[in-house]
Protein backbone atom coordinates (compact mmCIF):
# COMPACT_ATOMS: atom_id res chain seq x y z
CA UNK A 1 0.00 0.00 0.00
CA UNK A 2 1.34 3.42 -0.91
CA UNK A 3 2.21 5.85 1.82
CA UNK A 4 -0.69 8.13 2.55
CA UNK A 5 -0.15 11.57 1.07
CA UNK A 6 -2.01 14.54 2.46
CA UNK A 7 -0.68 16.61 -0.45
CA UNK A 8 -2.52 14.39 -2.92
CA UNK A 9 -5.73 14.97 -1.03
CA UNK A 10 -5.23 18.74 -1.09
CA UNK A 11 -4.88 18.65 -4.89
CA UNK A 12 -7.98 16.49 -5.17
CA UNK A 13 -9.88 18.74 -2.75
CA UNK A 14 -9.02 21.89 -4.70
CA UNK A 15 -10.04 20.43 -8.07
CA UNK A 16 -13.28 18.98 -6.73
CA UNK A 17 -14.08 22.35 -5.14
CA UNK A 18 -13.76 24.04 -8.53
CA UNK A 19 -16.15 21.49 -10.02
CA UNK A 20 -18.49 21.92 -7.06
CA UNK A 21 -18.65 25.66 -7.70
CA UNK A 22 -19.82 25.04 -11.26
CA UNK A 23 -22.46 22.57 -10.10
CA UNK A 24 -23.63 24.99 -7.40
CA UNK A 25 -24.18 27.77 -9.91
CA UNK A 26 -26.19 25.43 -12.12
CA UNK A 27 -28.26 24.21 -9.17
CA UNK A 28 -29.08 27.74 -8.00
CA UNK A 29 -30.06 28.85 -11.49
CA UNK A 30 -32.29 25.79 -12.01
CA UNK A 31 -34.11 26.31 -8.69
CA UNK A 32 -34.94 29.88 -9.70
CA UNK A 33 -35.96 28.70 -13.15
CA UNK A 34 -38.21 25.89 -11.84
CA UNK A 35 -39.85 28.09 -9.20
CA UNK A 36 -40.40 30.79 -11.81
CA UNK A 37 -42.16 28.25 -14.04
CA UNK A 38 -44.59 26.92 -11.42
CA UNK A 39 -44.52 29.35 -8.44
CA UNK A 40 -44.80 26.24 -6.26
CA UNK A 41 -42.60 24.99 -3.43
CA UNK A 42 -43.52 21.48 -4.54
CA UNK A 43 -41.61 21.85 -7.82
CA UNK A 44 -38.43 22.62 -5.87
CA UNK A 45 -39.16 19.73 -3.49
CA UNK A 46 -39.60 17.20 -6.30
CA UNK A 47 -36.27 18.24 -7.83
CA UNK A 48 -34.48 17.22 -4.63
CA UNK A 49 -36.76 14.21 -4.11
CA UNK A 50 -35.82 12.75 -7.50
CA UNK A 51 -32.17 13.09 -6.59
CA UNK A 52 -32.32 11.46 -3.16
CA UNK A 53 -34.64 8.49 -3.75
CA UNK A 54 -32.37 6.54 -6.14
CA UNK A 55 -29.37 7.57 -4.04
CA UNK A 56 -30.83 6.09 -0.85
CA UNK A 57 -32.10 2.89 -2.50
CA UNK A 58 -28.86 2.12 -4.35
CA UNK A 59 -26.76 2.91 -1.27
CA UNK A 60 -28.08 -0.31 0.26
CA UNK A 61 -26.46 -2.42 -2.46
CA UNK A 62 -23.32 -0.67 -3.73
CA UNK A 63 -21.07 -1.18 -0.69
CA UNK A 64 -19.48 -4.48 -1.69
CA UNK A 65 -19.08 -3.22 -5.28
CA UNK A 66 -17.13 -0.22 -4.01
CA UNK A 67 -14.92 -2.32 -1.73
CA UNK A 68 -14.08 -4.68 -4.63
CA UNK A 69 -13.44 -2.15 -7.38
CA UNK A 70 -11.05 0.69 -8.07
CA UNK A 71 -12.22 3.81 -6.23
CA UNK A 72 -10.67 6.19 -8.74
CA UNK A 73 -12.45 4.52 -11.66
CA UNK A 74 -15.78 4.64 -9.81
CA UNK A 75 -15.34 8.35 -9.12
CA UNK A 76 -14.37 9.13 -12.72
CA UNK A 77 -17.27 7.22 -14.25
CA UNK A 78 -19.79 8.65 -11.77
CA UNK A 79 -18.63 12.21 -12.35
CA UNK A 80 -18.66 11.68 -16.11
CA UNK A 81 -22.27 10.51 -16.13
CA UNK A 82 -23.29 13.45 -13.93
CA UNK A 83 -21.61 15.83 -16.41
CA UNK A 84 -23.71 14.36 -19.22
CA UNK A 85 -26.73 15.46 -17.16
CA UNK A 86 -25.61 19.09 -17.34
CA UNK A 87 -24.90 18.63 -21.04
CA UNK A 88 -28.43 17.29 -21.56
CA UNK A 89 -29.95 20.31 -19.77
CA UNK A 90 -27.91 22.60 -22.00
CA UNK A 91 -29.00 20.79 -25.16
CA UNK A 92 -32.68 20.91 -24.18
CA UNK A 93 -32.39 24.58 -23.24
CA UNK A 94 -30.79 25.54 -26.56
CA UNK A 95 -33.51 23.57 -28.36
CA UNK A 96 -36.15 25.48 -26.33
CA UNK A 97 -37.53 22.17 -25.04
CA UNK A 98 -36.42 22.24 -21.40
CA UNK A 99 -39.24 21.40 -18.96
CA UNK A 100 -39.31 20.87 -15.21
CA UNK A 101 -39.85 17.13 -15.64
CA UNK A 102 -36.60 16.93 -17.65
CA UNK A 103 -34.75 18.24 -14.60
CA UNK A 104 -36.50 15.65 -12.43
CA UNK A 105 -35.19 12.82 -14.65
CA UNK A 106 -31.66 14.21 -14.83
CA UNK A 107 -31.60 14.68 -11.05
CA UNK A 108 -32.57 11.00 -10.68
CA UNK A 109 -29.59 9.97 -12.82
CA UNK A 110 -27.30 12.20 -10.74
CA UNK A 111 -28.70 10.56 -7.61
CA UNK A 112 -27.69 7.16 -8.99
CA UNK A 113 -24.14 8.34 -9.70
CA UNK A 114 -23.86 9.92 -6.23
CA UNK A 115 -24.71 6.56 -4.63
CA UNK A 116 -21.43 5.25 -6.09
CA UNK A 117 -19.32 8.39 -6.03
CA UNK A 118 -19.79 9.51 -2.43
CA UNK A 119 -18.86 6.29 -0.59
CA UNK A 120 -16.01 5.71 -3.05
CA UNK A 121 -14.76 9.22 -2.30
CA UNK A 122 -15.12 8.61 1.44
CA UNK A 123 -13.02 5.44 1.23
CA UNK A 124 -10.44 7.19 -0.98
CA UNK A 125 -10.17 9.95 1.62
CA UNK A 126 -9.46 7.34 4.27
CA UNK A 127 -6.60 5.97 2.15
CA UNK A 128 -5.10 9.34 1.28
CA UNK A 129 -5.41 11.05 4.67
CA UNK A 130 -3.83 9.94 7.97
CA UNK A 131 -6.46 9.28 10.62
CA UNK A 132 -5.16 12.06 12.86
CA UNK A 133 -6.01 14.57 10.11
CA UNK A 134 -9.56 13.37 9.41
CA UNK A 135 -11.12 16.12 11.54
CA UNK A 136 -9.00 18.72 9.75
CA UNK A 137 -10.15 17.33 6.41
CA UNK A 138 -13.76 17.62 7.51
CA UNK A 139 -13.09 21.26 8.31
CA UNK A 140 -11.51 21.78 4.89
CA UNK A 141 -14.52 20.19 3.20
CA UNK A 142 -16.91 22.37 5.18
CA UNK A 143 -14.83 25.42 4.30
CA UNK A 144 -14.86 24.72 0.57
CA UNK A 145 -18.51 23.64 0.55
CA UNK A 146 -19.66 26.79 2.27
CA UNK A 147 -17.35 29.01 0.26
CA UNK A 148 -19.20 27.61 -2.74
CA UNK A 149 -22.52 28.33 -1.03
CA UNK A 150 -21.41 31.96 -0.60
CA UNK A 151 -20.05 32.64 -4.06
CA UNK A 152 -22.09 30.17 -6.14
CA UNK A 153 -25.41 32.08 -6.00
CA UNK A 154 -23.72 35.46 -6.43
CA UNK A 155 -21.72 34.32 -9.43
CA UNK A 156 -24.76 32.55 -10.85
CA UNK A 157 -26.85 35.73 -10.58
CA UNK A 158 -24.14 37.79 -12.29
CA UNK A 159 -23.52 35.27 -15.05
CA UNK A 160 -27.23 34.72 -15.58
CA UNK A 161 -27.64 38.43 -16.24
CA UNK A 162 -24.61 38.43 -18.53
CA UNK A 163 -25.23 35.32 -20.60
CA UNK A 164 -28.22 33.44 -19.26
CA UNK A 165 -28.48 29.80 -18.19
CA UNK A 166 -26.46 28.46 -21.19
CA UNK A 167 -23.36 30.36 -20.01
CA UNK A 168 -23.69 28.92 -16.49
CA UNK A 169 -24.04 25.39 -17.86
CA UNK A 170 -20.96 25.83 -20.06
CA UNK A 171 -18.90 26.98 -17.06
CA UNK A 172 -20.17 23.99 -15.11
CA UNK A 173 -18.96 21.64 -17.85
CA UNK A 174 -15.55 23.34 -18.05
CA UNK A 175 -15.09 23.08 -14.27
CA UNK A 176 -16.01 19.39 -14.45
CA UNK A 177 -13.45 18.79 -17.20
CA UNK A 178 -10.75 20.38 -15.06
CA UNK A 179 -11.55 18.24 -12.00
CA UNK A 180 -11.85 15.11 -14.15
CA UNK A 181 -8.40 15.61 -15.68
CA UNK A 182 -6.80 16.31 -12.29
CA UNK A 183 -8.21 13.08 -10.86
CA UNK A 184 -7.34 11.08 -13.99
CA UNK A 185 -3.74 12.23 -14.46
CA UNK A 186 -2.46 13.51 -11.10
CA UNK A 187 -4.16 11.53 -8.31
CA UNK A 188 -3.12 7.97 -7.48
CA UNK A 189 -5.44 6.37 -4.93
CA UNK A 190 -3.96 3.32 -3.17
CA UNK A 191 -6.12 0.23 -3.17
CA UNK A 192 -6.42 -2.68 -0.76
CA UNK A 193 -6.89 -6.03 -2.42
CA UNK A 194 -10.12 -7.75 -1.43
CA UNK A 195 -9.66 -11.46 -0.90
CA UNK A 196 -13.32 -12.12 -0.34
CA UNK A 197 -15.79 -12.09 -3.22
CA UNK A 198 -19.57 -11.56 -3.10
CA UNK A 199 -22.03 -13.43 -5.24
CA UNK A 200 -24.71 -10.80 -4.79
CA UNK A 201 -24.91 -7.19 -3.58
CA UNK A 202 -27.10 -8.43 -0.71
CA UNK A 203 -24.10 -10.18 0.86
CA UNK A 204 -22.14 -6.95 1.16
CA UNK A 205 -25.19 -5.12 2.46
CA UNK A 206 -25.71 -7.84 5.09
CA UNK A 207 -22.12 -7.50 6.29
CA UNK A 208 -22.51 -3.73 6.56
CA UNK A 209 -25.62 -4.13 8.71
CA UNK A 210 -23.94 -6.88 10.76
CA UNK A 211 -21.11 -4.52 11.60
CA UNK A 212 -23.55 -1.84 12.72
CA UNK A 213 -25.39 -4.33 14.93
CA UNK A 214 -22.13 -5.04 16.71
CA UNK A 215 -21.44 -1.31 17.07
CA UNK A 216 -24.71 -0.12 18.61
CA UNK A 217 -23.40 3.35 19.37
CA UNK A 218 -22.69 4.00 15.68
CA UNK A 219 -26.06 2.54 14.68
CA UNK A 220 -27.93 4.73 17.17
CA UNK A 221 -25.95 7.75 16.02
CA UNK A 222 -26.94 7.08 12.41
CA UNK A 223 -30.61 6.55 13.29
CA UNK A 224 -30.70 9.77 15.28
CA UNK A 225 -28.98 11.67 12.47
CA UNK A 226 -31.60 10.26 10.10
CA UNK A 227 -34.33 11.88 12.23
CA UNK A 228 -32.38 15.14 12.40
CA UNK A 229 -31.95 15.07 8.61
CA UNK A 230 -35.71 14.64 8.27
CA UNK A 231 -36.42 17.81 10.24
CA UNK A 232 -33.71 19.70 8.40
CA UNK A 233 -34.96 18.71 4.95
CA UNK A 234 -38.51 19.71 5.80
CA UNK A 235 -37.26 23.27 5.77
CA UNK A 236 -33.74 24.37 4.80
CA UNK A 237 -33.07 22.37 1.65
CA UNK A 238 -36.74 22.22 0.85
CA UNK A 239 -38.73 25.40 1.48
CA UNK A 240 -36.13 28.00 2.45
CA UNK A 241 -35.87 29.38 -1.09
CA UNK A 242 -39.66 29.55 -1.66
CA UNK A 243 -40.18 31.12 1.78
CA UNK A 244 -37.58 33.84 1.25
CA UNK A 245 -38.86 34.56 -2.25
CA UNK A 246 -42.47 34.71 -0.98
CA UNK A 247 -41.65 37.00 1.94
CA UNK A 248 -39.38 39.30 -0.10
CA UNK A 249 -41.73 39.81 -3.07
CA UNK A 250 -39.70 37.47 -5.25
CA UNK A 251 -36.38 39.27 -4.71
CA UNK A 252 -33.70 36.77 -5.81
CA UNK A 253 -30.99 39.12 -4.50
CA UNK A 254 -32.31 38.67 -0.97
CA UNK A 255 -32.26 34.90 -1.44
CA UNK A 256 -28.69 35.13 -2.68
CA UNK A 257 -27.68 37.17 0.40
CA UNK A 258 -29.29 34.65 2.76
CA UNK A 259 -27.59 31.74 1.01
CA UNK A 260 -24.28 33.62 1.13
CA UNK A 261 -24.61 34.19 4.86
CA UNK A 262 -25.44 30.53 5.38
CA UNK A 263 -22.24 29.72 3.56
CA UNK A 264 -20.32 32.30 5.61
CA UNK A 265 -21.40 30.58 8.82
CA UNK A 266 -20.24 27.25 7.43
CA UNK A 267 -16.92 28.76 6.38
CA UNK A 268 -16.34 30.10 9.89
CA UNK A 269 -17.24 26.70 11.35
CA UNK A 270 -14.99 24.93 8.86
CA UNK A 271 -12.03 27.14 9.74
CA UNK A 272 -12.57 26.53 13.45
CA UNK A 273 -12.74 22.76 12.91
CA UNK A 274 -9.61 22.80 10.73
CA UNK A 275 -7.45 24.52 13.35
CA UNK A 276 -8.85 23.19 16.63
CA UNK A 277 -7.85 20.03 18.41
CA UNK A 278 -10.15 17.02 18.23
CA UNK A 279 -12.86 16.91 20.85
CA UNK A 280 -12.51 14.16 23.41
CA UNK A 281 -16.28 13.82 23.70
CA UNK A 282 -17.08 13.57 20.02
CA UNK A 283 -20.60 12.13 20.27
CA UNK A 284 -21.78 14.85 22.62
CA UNK A 285 -20.15 17.48 20.40
CA UNK A 286 -22.22 16.19 17.46
CA UNK A 287 -25.59 16.56 19.14
CA UNK A 288 -24.87 19.74 21.05
CA UNK A 289 -23.96 21.26 17.68
CA UNK A 290 -27.21 20.10 16.04
CA UNK A 291 -29.19 21.38 19.04
CA UNK A 292 -27.64 24.84 18.69
CA UNK A 293 -28.29 24.84 14.95
CA UNK A 294 -32.00 24.11 15.43
CA UNK A 295 -32.40 26.41 18.41
CA UNK A 296 -30.87 29.53 16.91
CA UNK A 297 -31.17 28.79 13.20
CA UNK A 298 -34.68 27.44 12.71
CA UNK A 299 -36.36 29.49 15.40
CA UNK A 300 -34.75 32.75 14.26
CA UNK A 301 -35.67 31.93 10.66
CA UNK A 302 -39.26 31.40 11.81
CA UNK A 303 -39.68 34.70 13.64
CA UNK A 304 -37.58 36.79 11.25
CA UNK A 305 -39.46 39.01 8.83
CA UNK A 306 -36.65 40.78 7.01
CA UNK A 307 -33.24 40.11 5.49
CA UNK A 308 -31.39 41.05 8.70
CA UNK A 309 -33.02 38.28 10.73
CA UNK A 310 -32.85 35.76 7.89
CA UNK A 311 -29.11 36.29 7.45
CA UNK A 312 -28.50 36.04 11.21
CA UNK A 313 -30.50 32.79 11.27
CA UNK A 314 -28.55 31.45 8.29
CA UNK A 315 -25.22 32.00 10.08
CA UNK A 316 -26.53 30.50 13.34
CA UNK A 317 -27.85 27.42 11.53
CA UNK A 318 -24.73 26.67 9.50
CA UNK A 319 -21.91 27.52 11.92
CA UNK A 320 -22.29 24.32 14.03
CA UNK A 321 -22.61 21.91 11.06
CA UNK A 322 -18.86 21.44 10.40
CA UNK A 323 -18.49 20.29 14.00
CA UNK A 324 -21.18 17.67 13.37
CA UNK A 325 -19.48 16.30 10.26
CA UNK A 326 -15.93 16.41 11.67
CA UNK A 327 -16.76 14.52 14.85
CA UNK A 328 -18.92 11.96 13.05
CA UNK A 329 -16.20 11.26 10.47
CA UNK A 330 -13.56 10.95 13.18
CA UNK A 331 -15.68 8.32 14.93
CA UNK A 332 -16.42 6.37 11.75
CA UNK A 333 -12.87 6.23 10.40
CA UNK A 334 -11.57 5.05 13.76
CA UNK A 335 -14.24 2.41 14.29
CA UNK A 336 -14.68 0.95 10.79
CA UNK A 337 -11.97 -1.41 9.46
CA UNK A 338 -10.44 -0.14 6.22
CA UNK A 339 -11.32 -3.30 4.30
CA UNK A 340 -15.07 -2.83 4.78
CA UNK A 341 -15.42 0.94 4.78
CA UNK A 342 -17.22 0.91 1.42
CA UNK A 343 -19.91 -1.43 2.73
CA UNK A 344 -20.43 0.43 5.99
CA UNK A 345 -20.34 3.92 4.45
CA UNK A 346 -22.86 2.84 1.81
CA UNK A 347 -25.21 1.41 4.45
CA UNK A 348 -24.65 4.54 6.54
CA UNK A 349 -25.74 6.66 3.59
CA UNK A 350 -28.88 4.54 3.15
CA UNK A 351 -29.81 4.81 6.85
CA UNK A 352 -28.81 8.37 7.54
CA UNK A 353 -30.19 9.84 4.34
CA UNK A 354 -33.28 7.62 3.96
CA UNK A 355 -35.45 10.25 5.65
CA UNK A 356 -34.30 13.05 3.37
CA UNK A 357 -36.61 12.30 0.40
CA UNK A 358 -39.53 11.84 2.81
CA UNK A 359 -38.76 15.20 4.41
CA UNK A 360 -38.35 16.88 1.05
CA UNK A 361 -41.62 15.70 -0.48
CA UNK A 362 -43.56 16.05 2.77
CA UNK A 363 -42.19 19.54 3.27
CA UNK A 364 -43.43 20.65 -0.12
CA UNK A 365 -46.88 19.14 0.50
CA UNK A 366 -47.15 20.66 3.96
CA UNK A 367 -46.09 24.08 2.69
CA UNK A 368 -48.46 24.23 -0.29
CA UNK A 369 -51.48 22.36 1.06
CA UNK A 370 -51.40 22.62 4.87
CA UNK A 371 -49.39 25.41 6.46
CA UNK A 372 -49.81 28.17 3.87
CA UNK A 373 -53.62 27.70 3.60
CA UNK A 374 -53.87 27.32 7.38
CA UNK A 375 -52.15 30.65 8.07
CA UNK A 376 -54.67 32.55 5.90
CA UNK A 377 -57.70 30.58 7.09
CA UNK A 378 -58.66 32.95 9.89
CA UNK A 379 -58.37 30.12 12.42
CA UNK A 380 -57.76 31.27 16.00
CA UNK A 381 -54.66 29.10 16.34
CA UNK A 382 -53.36 30.54 13.09
CA UNK A 383 -53.78 33.98 14.60
CA UNK A 384 -51.72 32.99 17.62
CA UNK A 385 -48.98 31.51 15.44
CA UNK A 386 -49.16 34.61 13.26
CA UNK A 387 -48.18 36.80 16.21
CA UNK A 388 -44.91 34.83 16.30
CA UNK A 389 -44.07 34.27 12.63
CA UNK A 390 -46.09 37.02 10.96
CA UNK A 391 -48.81 36.84 8.34
CA UNK A 392 -49.14 36.82 4.58
CA UNK A 393 -47.34 34.85 1.88
CA UNK A 394 -44.65 32.60 3.32
CA UNK A 395 -45.94 32.69 6.90
CA UNK A 396 -47.00 29.04 6.69
CA UNK A 397 -43.48 28.04 5.74
CA UNK A 398 -42.16 30.18 8.60
CA UNK A 399 -44.44 28.21 10.94
CA UNK A 400 -42.81 25.04 9.65
CA UNK A 401 -39.41 26.40 10.71
CA UNK A 402 -40.88 27.00 14.16
CA UNK A 403 -41.95 23.35 14.37
CA UNK A 404 -38.66 21.91 13.10
CA UNK A 405 -36.69 24.13 15.46
CA UNK A 406 -38.53 22.75 18.48
CA UNK A 407 -38.49 19.13 17.30
CA UNK A 408 -34.87 19.12 16.15
CA UNK A 409 -33.62 20.71 19.36
CA UNK A 410 -35.52 18.18 21.48
CA UNK A 411 -34.21 15.14 19.57
CA UNK A 412 -30.64 16.48 19.71
CA UNK A 413 -30.69 17.02 23.47
CA UNK A 414 -32.21 13.60 24.14
CA UNK A 415 -29.51 11.96 22.00
CA UNK A 416 -26.81 13.37 24.27
CA UNK A 417 -28.15 11.14 27.06
CA UNK A 418 -28.23 7.89 25.04
CA UNK A 419 -25.92 5.41 26.77
CA UNK A 420 -24.53 3.76 23.66
CA UNK A 421 -23.93 7.06 21.87
CA UNK A 422 -22.09 8.49 24.88
CA UNK A 423 -19.57 5.63 24.64
CA UNK A 424 -18.38 6.82 21.22
CA UNK A 425 -15.15 8.76 21.12
Amino acid sequence: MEKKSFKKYIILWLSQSVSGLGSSMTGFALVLWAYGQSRSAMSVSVMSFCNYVPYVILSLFVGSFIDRHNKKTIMLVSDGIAAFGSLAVLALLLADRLAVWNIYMINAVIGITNAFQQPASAVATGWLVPKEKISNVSGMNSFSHNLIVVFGPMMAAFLFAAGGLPLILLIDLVSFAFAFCVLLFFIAIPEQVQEKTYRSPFAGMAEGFAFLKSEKGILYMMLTMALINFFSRLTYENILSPMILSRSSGDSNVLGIVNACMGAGGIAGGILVSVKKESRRKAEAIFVSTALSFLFGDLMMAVGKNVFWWTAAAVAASLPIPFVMANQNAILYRKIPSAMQGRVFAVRNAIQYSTIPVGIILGGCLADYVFEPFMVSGNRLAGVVGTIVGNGAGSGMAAMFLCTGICGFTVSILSCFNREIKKLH
Side-chain angles (χ1 to χ4, degrees):
M1 184 179 70
E2 290 185 18
K3 185 178 178 181
K4 291 181 180 179
S5 172
F6 192 49
K7 291 181 180 179
K8 287 182 181 179
Y9 180 78
I10 292 175
I11 295 171
L12 178 63
W13 170 69
L14 287 171
S15 63
Q16 292 294 316
S17 297
V18 171
S19 180
L21 177 61
S23 299
S24 172
M25 291 191 295
T26 297
F28 183 79
L30 288 177
V31 165
L32 292 178
W33 183 85
Y35 188 71
Q37 295 288 311
S38 62
R39 307 301 299 179
S40 169
M42 179 60 73
S43 64
V44 178
S45 299
V46 175
M47 287 174 63
S48 297
F49 179 82
C50 290
N51 182 277
Y52 274 109
V53 167
Y55 171 79
V56 169
I57 294 174
L58 275 178
S59 290
L60 287 168
F61 307 103
V62 301
S64 59
F65 178 88
I66 290 165
D67 280 331
R68 293 197 320 269
H69 293 83
N70 186 281
K71 314 302 179 290
K72 179 175 175 177
T73 301
I74 293 172
M75 294 168 66
L76 288 170
V77 173
S78 299
D79 289 344
I81 294 173
F84 274 109
S86 294
L87 187 62
V89 172
L90 178 61
L92 290 168
L93 184 66
L94 294 177
D96 197 26
R97 298 183 63 181
L98 182 63
V100 175
W101 69 267
N102 298 136
I103 300 174
Y104 296 162
M105 292 183 63
I106 291 168
N107 275 7
V109 173
I110 293 174
I112 293 171
T113 64
N114 284 342
F116 290 88
Q117 198 273 349
Q118 290 188 10
S121 178
V123 175
T125 298
W127 284 111
L128 290 171
V129 179
K131 282 186 170 60
E132 63 270 16
K133 289 187 175 291
I134 289 296
S135 292
N136 302 96
V137 164
S138 296
M140 290 168 56
N141 288 336
S142 295
F143 174 82
S144 60
H145 169 76
N146 288 287
L147 195 67
I148 289 169
V149 171
V150 172
F151 289 103
M154 291 191 296
M155 293 179 66
F158 173 78
L159 292 169
F160 191 85
L165 187 55
L167 177 61
I168 295 174
L169 289 165
L170 282 172
I171 293 174
D172 184 12
L173 291 168
V174 170
S175 67
F176 155 76
F178 168 72
F180 187 91
C181 290
V182 168
L183 177 58
L184 180 62
F185 297 114
F186 298 102
I187 305 297
I189 299 174
E191 294 287 332
Q192 186 176 49
V193 178
Q194 290 285 310
E195 297 179 359
K196 189 172 184 177
T197 59
Y198 300 90
R199 294 181 180 178
S200 77
F202 294 98
M205 178 181 68
E207 287 202 359
F209 275 112
F211 175 83
L212 292 178
K213 285 182 180 180
S214 67
E215 293 285 349
K216 291 184 179 179
I218 295 179
L219 178 59
Y220 292 160
M221 178 180 69
M222 292 179 181
L223 291 172
T224 305
M225 288 302 299
L227 188 55
I228 287 172
N229 282 335
F230 170 74
F231 292 131
S232 175
R233 265 44 178 210
L234 276 174
T235 49
Y236 277 99
E237 187 171 322
N238 189 26
I239 64 168
L240 176 63
S241 296
M243 186 191 78
I244 298 298
L245 290 172
S246 296
R247 307 196 91 179
S248 64
S249 301
D251 192 337
S252 60
N253 291 323
V254 170
L255 177 59
I257 292 171
V258 173
N259 282 330
C261 288
M262 187 168 292
I267 289 171
I271 293 173
L272 290 173
V273 169
S274 297
V275 300
K276 70 178 281 294
K277 292 182 179 179
E278 281 191 10
S279 172
R280 294 182 179 179
R281 305 169 73 176
K282 296 180 179 62
E284 291 183 14
I286 291 171
F287 294 108
V288 168
S289 298
T290 58
L292 292 173
S293 179
F294 280 111
L295 180 63
F296 293 105
D298 290 53
L299 295 184
M300 203 182 303
M301 195 68 75
V303 301
K305 302 177 181 67
N306 55 54
V307 67
F308 172 80
W309 287 105
W310 296 329
T311 53
V315 172
S318 58
L319 181 63
I321 302 305
F323 293 88
V324 177
M325 302 307 298
N327 285 287
Q328 187 182 39
N329 285 337
I331 290 171
L332 294 178
Y333 280 112
R334 279 182 170 83
K335 291 282 188 180
I336 303 171
S338 298
M340 63 182 306
Q341 284 181 356
R343 279 159 282 170
V344 179
F345 274 114
V347 172
R348 185 279 302 263
N349 291 348
I351 293 175
Q352 200 161 301
Y353 305 138
S354 62
T355 56
I356 290 178
V358 180
I360 287 172
I361 203 69
L362 182 60
C365 290
L366 290 174
D368 284 347
Y369 305 116
V370 179
F371 279 86
E372 285 294 311
F374 172 73
M375 290 302 292
V376 297
S377 65
N379 183 284
R380 182 177 297 179
L381 179 59
V384 173
V385 176
T387 61
I388 301 173
V389 302
N391 298 292
S395 60
M397 289 180 273
M400 290 177 63
F401 271 98
L402 183 66
C403 295
T404 56
I406 295 170
C407 294
F409 175 79
T410 302
V411 169
S412 298
I413 293 299
L414 291 176
S415 300
C416 291
F417 296 97
N418 182 282
R419 241 180 234 182
E420 296 295 334
I421 289 177
K422 288 175 70 174
K423 294 178 184 177
L424 298 173
H425 55 83

